[in-house]
Amino acid sequence: MTAGPDDEQSGLTALARGLSAPKGFVDASLAAPAPGTIRLLGGIPAPAALPVEAIGKASAQLWQTPDAAVASLQYSPARGSAALCDWIAQREGVDPSRIVVTNGGMHGLALAVLTVVERGATVAVDDPVFPGFLWALEVSTTRILPVPVVADGFDVEHLARRLATGARIAAAYTVPDFHNPAQVSLSAPKRQALIELAERYGFYVIVDNPYRELRFGGRDQGVAVFNQSDRAIHVNSFTKTLGPGWRVGWLVLPDHLVDPVTRLRNRLDVHTSSVTQTIIERLLTDDAQWFDGIVRSATALYQERADVLIDALREQLPGALDIVAPEGGLFLWPRLTDDAVDPAALFRRAAAHGVVYQPGEFFAADPRGRSSARHLRLSYSDRTPEELREAVRRLALAF
C-alpha cells in the first residue's frame, strides 16, 4: 500500500513538517538550464580565482607526512584546530579563544540562531534579504521584522523607531559588506549605532560577512565594532575566497557565548573535518602573504568583470536600468527604470533568449513590499567577459 502525503507527514517532528519547500531562489540556482544558457545566478567564485595548484601541493604534502596524515584523520577540538583558530583570530583582531570553526557560513548562521533565538521570537532582517538566512532561521522561528536596506546599508534608524514604539526582537541580521543582494555596505556610523541599539535593547546582531575580503573600491568600514561587542556574532567563511566545497567557516563570538555554542555543536556535528582544516591551515601558514595574494588576484578579476557587465548594460540598454557600480563582492543589483516593464515577463523572455538571473522578488523579506521586484540580481563572478557581453546582448533582446 502506498503512503499518501498525510501518512508521510505523520512521523515527522513539527520542525521538519514546518520547513518551507525550496522555491524561487533555489530553483533558479539549481535547476538545469537549457543548453547554451548563460547563468548569472549564484555567488560562485570564478574557477580562475581558485588556488587549485596550491591546494594540490598542500594535499600531497600532507599525505606524504605520515604523522600529520594520521593526526588529520582523527577527531579534532569542537572549536577548531589551534593553528587555524590562531590564524583567523589574528586576522579578526581577537583572542583565539573566541573563534569557533564551522562547516561553512550557513552552519555558522544556524548555530547563531539556535544559540540566541528562542522559538517563536522575532528577528529583524535585511529587506531585501539573503534567502538562506530565512532558511537557517526556520530552526527557531519564522517571525521576522523586515528592515529596509538603503544606500548605506541596514536602516538602523528605521529599526530604532520600531523598537521605540514597542517592537521587541531577539536578534538583528545583516550582511554589512557588499550586501547580498543589494551590493551596498553598512557605513561605519551605522555599524556603531546598530551595536549601541543592541546593547540598549538587549538583542544580538548576527553579522553575515562572506564578501568582506572582496573589496576593489571604496573604503573599508571596519569590523572592530562588531568584534569588540558582547552583542555581536560575526559569521564568515572561506567560501568566496578558497571555494565553497571546503565547507569551512568561522564564528567570532563574545566570550560568554563560546561555551554555549561549543556545547551545542557537540550535540550536532561535533567538529569540522580535521582533514580540511589541516590542509587549509597549511595553505595559510606556510606563507604569511599567500592568502592576501589570492584575494588580490580574485578582486582584480571581479572588478574587471563588474566593469564589463556595467559597460555592456549601459551601452546596450541605455536608460533601462538604474545602475550603481559596486565597490566589491560578486553581484550587481540594477533597478528597472520604466514602470511599464513587467519584471516577471522580462525574466521569462530573458530565459527564452538564453540568459537567466535572480529576479529581485526572490529577495523580498516583506511579501507586501514591491521595491525588490523591480530589481535584477546579476552575478558576474563566474562568467568570463565574453559571456557577460553576450548575456547582456540576450537581455537586450528580451527588452
Side-chain angles (χ1 to χ4, degrees), residues 109-376:
L109 293 175
L111 286 173
V113 167
L114 286 168
T115 303
V116 302
V117 180
E118 290 283 6
R119 290 194 180 279
T122 299
V123 174
V125 303
D126 292 327
D127 187 14
V129 65
F130 165 52
F133 177 71
L134 299 185
W135 308 330
L137 189 59
E138 284 184 9
V139 299
S140 287
T141 187
T142 57
R143 296 183 61 183
I144 62 171
L145 191 165
V147 175
V149 174
V150 292
D152 58 350
F154 187 89
D155 193 340
V156 180
E157 291 184 357
H158 175 93
L159 178 60
R161 289 192 296 270
R162 294 298 306 272
L163 294 172
T165 55
R168 290 296 176 263
I169 60 174
Y173 166 83
T174 191
V175 180
D177 288 297
F178 319 123
H179 185 273
N180 178 14
Q183 79 179 53
V184 299
S185 293
L186 186 65
S187 67
K190 289 175 73 170
R191 294 176 191 225
Q192 181 65 46
L194 181 57
I195 290 300
E196 290 174 358
L197 208 58
E199 291 169 349
R200 186 185 318 157
Y201 286 95
F203 62 86
Y204 286 92
V205 181
I206 300 175
V207 183
D208 188 8
N209 221 357
Y211 308 100
R212 172 183 159 198
E213 300 282 0
L214 303 180
R215 174 176 294 281
F216 47 73
R219 195 169 105 184
D220 186 356
Q221 300 300 304
V223 295
V225 66
F226 299 134
N227 289 344
Q228 293 170 3
S229 172
D230 285 342
R231 282 284 156 186
I233 300 174
H234 195 180
V235 184
N236 207 330
S237 79
F238 292 110
T239 293
K240 309 304 180 183
T241 51
L242 301 184
W246 289 106
R247 308 314 304 143
V248 176
W250 64 91
L251 297 171
V252 182
L253 295 166
D255 288 325
H256 68 278
L257 291 184
V258 174
D259 284 345
V261 169
T262 304
R263 290 196 299 271
L264 177 62
R265 85 165 311 179
N266 274 329
R267 287 152 177 81
L268 297 173
D269 64 324
V270 183
H271 66 81
T272 299
S273 164
S274 306
V275 172
T276 53
Q277 288 188 80
T278 301
I279 295 172
I280 286 180
E281 70 185 40
R282 283 174 170 243
L283 289 166
L284 298 175
T285 58
D286 284 352
D287 178 355
Q289 305 302 315
W290 178 82
F291 185 73
D292 287 330
I294 292 297
V295 169
R296 279 195 302 273
S297 296
T299 52
L301 186 68
Y302 298 140
Q303 180 170 25
E304 177 194 14
R305 295 182 177 189
D307 290 345
V308 165
L309 178 58
I310 292 171
D311 289 346
L313 288 168
R314 288 175 173 166
E315 178 183 339
Q316 299 192 47
L317 289 165
L321 296 164
D322 182 15
I323 301 169
V324 177
E327 295 182 341
L330 306 178
F331 309 112
L332 200 63
W333 183 243
R335 182 182 61 83
L336 293 165
T337 57
D338 186 351
D339 289 342
V341 175
D342 180 348
L346 175 65
F347 176 76
R348 292 192 296 270
R349 291 196 300 271
H353 283 290
V355 59
V356 291
Y357 52 86
Q358 298 282 9
E361 65 178 300
F362 292 171
F363 302 89
D366 185 349
R368 298 168 298 177
R370 301 297 300 165
S371 59
S372 292
R374 303 210 59 76
H375 285 264
L376 291 62

Side-chain angles (χ1 to χ4, degrees), residues 56-70 72 278-279 282:
K57 288 181 180 177
S59 302
Q61 290 169 359
L62 172 61
W63 304 121
Q64 291 164 6
T65 311
D67 288 348
V70 169
S72 74
T278 301
I279 295 172
R282 283 174 170 243

